[in-house]
Amino acid sequence: MKGSNFASIGITFKGCGSYLPAQVLSNEKISQIVETNDEWIKTRTGISNRRIAEIDENVSDMGFKAALSAMDMANWASESVDLIILATSTPNDLFGSAPMIQAKLRAKNALAFDLTAACSGFLFALITASQYLTSGKYKRALVIGSDQLSSYVDWQDRGSCILFGDGAGALAIEASHDQSNLFGFNLRTDGERGSFLNLYNKNLNGKIIDQIKFRKGEFSNISMNGQEVYKFAVREVPIIISDLLKKTDFDSADVDWLILHQANQRILDAVGERLKINKDKILTNLNKYGNTSAATIPLVLDEFIRNQKIKKNDIILTSGFGAGLSWGAALLKWG
Ligand code: UT7
């Protein structure tokens, strides 16, 4: 039976959760600040609205709410969580924002740390957590994607500010001796193409005393070569997914749902076409929330699990891609 070549310890999916800030930024509102319009944005990206975190909200606040909801669905006590991995590129503390989530959850037995891989972050965090679990030393993990890109968007750059929004999503995953519902994964990075999408340190010089200078820690805005990122995604994502299907002995016809990083509807459509996966199987909420970086995949999962479109035992193919450049795919069964 497909997916049944399971050795010792496997992964099961127990819960999901998400959080979206209340402030809605529509295309119409964006067209008040840059030269653009609803028609252009919708046609070129599929996005109508995005959410923007409130002044007093940050990545760990949003991540906490998503994680709490995943923990509730899993019916876990806080103390039973062994591991919390927060995928984020916009931490509220560069020393690590995951421990703040751990404290708010009162998950005092958990190891908590941040992982940065931009829009591939959730997928990389999921696979990292799965390695901890299959080692046999950890049993329950919360994998969180939370990003607040609104803090780093150049709101004068119409080529990028139309895309991004804020939000968080989370999954509760558990080690199992009986089954493995994570069938396989493929992860890649290519730093040589890294200059297509960046959130650089400003590299401003400071001076401690006359003889000793230092680099100030302050980040600039997101800079993006949209066309190159677009070409990269449309080329690489179908390749990595096809490789994964081959490796796991699955066929695209076996896939119930394709959940791609929510970057641009045209990317989702092009990838679906290349893989010959029917449009009805490609789940999206991009029109409502835009690109929330590490949060997109768990946001889609949570929405469609809660509205019961995704059912227990459904086969889900997921792929993240973005800055790094980084990209990857995973094949799993919900439950
Ligand atoms: O997680 C990964 C994050 N990044 C991405 O996913 C980015 C992937 N790339 C994209 O989604 C698309 O490249 C964009 C949506 C960013 C841009 O769409 P495009 O079809 O590649 O547009 P373009 O850059 O080729 O620009 C076409 C025209 C240009 O005008 P001219 O030179 O033809 O006169 C742009 O100046 O559209 C203009 N333009 C706009 N017009 C109205 C660019 N942005 C806008 C805008 N409104 N917001």
Side-chain angles (χ1 to χ4, degrees), residues 13 22 25 38 78 81 103 115 126 129 133 152 154 160-161 163 209 245 266 274 328:
F13 297 87
L25 181 64
D38 178 53
S78 319
V81 177
L115 181 151
L126 177 65
L133 266 46
Y152 299 99
D154 177 354
S160 63
C161 75
L163 296 175
I209 54 170
L245 289 172
R266 284 155 56 215
R274 287 192 189 191

Side-chain angles (χ1 to χ4, degrees), residues 36 40 44 119 158-159 224 226-227 230 261 263-264 266 291:
T36 189
W40 193 97
R44 299 281 180 134
C119 299
R158 69 175 183 169
M224 184 181 76
Q227 285 183 357
Y230 187 97
H261 166 54
N264 182 321
R266 284 155 56 215
N291 178 347

Side-chain angles (χ1 to χ4, degrees), residues 56-65 67-68 71 78 84 92 97-108:
D56 60 354
E57 271 179 323
N58 62 35
V59 154
S60 54
D61 297 328
M62 295 194 293
F64 160 68
K65 287 173 183 162
L68 185 63
M71 217 170 68
S78 319
I84 297 170
N92 42 299
S97 304
M100 292 177 206
I101 299 179
Q102 175 197 11
K104 286 185 180 184
L105 289 171
R106 298 200 162 79
K108 59 179 189 320

Side-chain angles (χ1 to χ4, degrees), residues 11 22 27 40 88 133 155 261 313:
I11 301 298
N27 291 347
W40 193 97
T88 187
L133 266 46
W155 291 105
H261 166 54
N313 294 331

Side-chain angles (χ1 to χ4, degrees), residues 30 34-37 40-41 44-45 118-120 149 157-164 197 224-233 261-267 291 293 321-323:
I30 289 192
V34 288
E35 187 62 42
T36 189
N37 57 73
W40 193 97
I41 303 173
R44 299 281 180 134
T45 71
C119 299
S120 309
L149 290 181
D157 174 19
R158 69 175 183 169
S160 63
C161 75
I162 53 167
L163 296 175
F164 300 109
L197 183 51
M224 184 181 76
N225 182 332
Q227 285 183 357
E228 288 298 341
V229 177
Y230 187 97
K231 282 190 272 181
F232 144 73
H261 166 54
Q262 307 285 291
N264 182 321
Q265 190 58 47
R266 284 155 56 215
I267 296 178
N291 178 347
S293 193
F321 51 88

Side-chain angles (χ1 to χ4, degrees), residues 24-58:
V24 179
L25 181 64
S26 64
N27 291 347
E28 194 275 317
K29 284 180 189 146
I30 289 192
S31 66
Q32 294 169 18
I33 52 168
V34 288
E35 187 62 42
T36 189
N37 57 73
D38 178 53
E39 170 68 20
W40 193 97
I41 303 173
K42 270 209 288 233
T43 323
R44 299 281 180 134
T45 71
I47 301 168
S48 299
N49 293 297
R50 59 293 287 142
R51 299 296 178 89
I52 305 294
E54 305 280 342
I55 292 290
D56 60 354
E57 271 179 323
N58 62 35

